[in-house]
Amino acid sequence: MKAMKRHDVRWRRLLAALLAMPLLMFAASAYSAPKTLLVLGDSLSAEYGLTRGSGWVALLDKRLQQEKIGAGVTAVINASISGETTIGGKTRLPALLSKHAPDVVIIELGANDALRGLQLSATQANLQALIDMARAAKAKVVLVGMQIPPNYGADYTNKFSQLFPAAAKQNKTALVPFFLKDVADKPALFQADRMHPNEQAQQTLLDNVWPALKPLLK
């Protein structure tokens, strides 16, 4: 009798384990579907003035491994160019989408539009075009918000900063509220030009992007 009870207990445990396996496999595979990430940015993402491999995009690979997501990401493509504007990004994105077929597109553009005095309506239209292109290619979008110094005038500064949350809300895309959060107000985190974050700032930039990006990797 005791032997039969022990046998029955073993079978129950085995059955419970078998029933639990699909759940465990689902949890393990939540991030396992291979994905390609495309970063479309300007000098802030192109490692301007930095040692190669020290920028926030390069650090993203390490973060993916730390979070045990790396096995599900086949590539992180950094298509950022120093000086890039939303106009340039709009011109380049179709070819990048065709070549890399990304699952997620991170759009970090707009700051140079302001530096060059581009009309806000043009930047808004270009951001919308970038989002539309990415979505048409079945890619999810992370829109990276930017702000500009107040010397551009209060009206322009405020309206510029609202472009990004407005576009994200309208399109229901992921949003990084302010890319330079916890960096912009710390002079020690900038290079000598006082415009580009230094190597010490790159981890913070990644930390700012990560909360918006991570949910899209599932």
Side-chain angles (χ1 to χ4, degrees):
M1 182 67 70
K2 290 182 179 180
M4 291 180 63
K5 287 184 177 180
R6 285 198 297 269
H7 183 73
D8 185 54
V9 169
R10 290 195 188 106
W11 273 106
R12 288 181 180 180
R13 289 176 178 174
L14 178 59
L15 180 60
L18 290 172
L19 291 174
M21 282 183 67
L23 296 176
L24 293 173
M25 291 176 65
F26 175 79
S29 64
Y31 293 108
S32 63
K35 293 180 176 63
T36 297
L37 312 183
L38 174 68
V39 181
L40 184 68
D42 51 34
S43 57
L44 299 179
S45 298
E47 296 187 331
Y48 177 88
L50 304 177
T51 301
R52 289 294 164 259
S54 65
W56 77 269
V57 180
L59 296 179
L60 177 58
D61 279 318
K62 296 180 180 179
R63 176 67 62 84
L64 292 170
Q65 295 298 330
Q66 291 171 355
E67 298 284 338
K68 298 182 180 180
I69 301 174
V73 177
T74 58
V76 178
I77 310 298
N78 192 352
S80 304
I81 298 177
S82 293
E84 186 68 291
T85 62
T86 57
I87 298 174
K90 186 173 67 172
T91 300
R92 293 193 300 122
L93 185 55
L96 292 169
L97 293 171
S98 177
K99 180 178 180 180
H100 301 293
D103 298 278
V104 180
V105 176
I106 303 173
I107 301 172
E108 184 274 299
L109 291 172
N112 287 317
D113 290 26
L115 292 176
R116 299 183 183 189
L118 193 68
Q119 291 186 355
L120 292 172
S121 59
T123 298
Q124 181 182 31
N126 292 335
L127 288 174
Q128 185 61 54
L130 290 167
I131 294 171
D132 289 343
M133 289 178 193
R135 285 190 158 176
K138 309 300 182 184
K140 298 177 181 178
V141 174
V142 177
L143 187 60
V144 179
M146 279 298 298
Q147 298 176 17
I148 56 176
N151 57 294
Y152 284 82
D155 185 61
Y156 187 91
T157 299
N158 292 333
K159 288 181 179 178
F160 178 84
S161 66
Q162 290 303 311
L163 288 176
F164 303 92
K169 182 178 181 180
Q170 178 179 337
N171 294 279
K172 297 181 180 180
T173 67
L175 172 70
V176 177
F178 181 33
F179 189 34
L180 299 183
K181 178 186 176 184
D182 297 327
V183 173
D185 58 346
K186 295 179 174 61
L189 294 180
F190 282 84
Q191 299 178 40
D193 62 8
R194 299 182 181 181
M195 293 181 63
H196 295 92
N198 58 28
E199 289 188 16
Q200 288 68 43
Q202 300 305 305
Q203 192 66 53
T204 301
L205 297 182
L206 175 56
D207 289 342
N208 291 338
V209 173
W210 187 247
L213 173 62
K214 184 179 178 180
L216 304 187
L217 301 179
K218 293 184 178 180

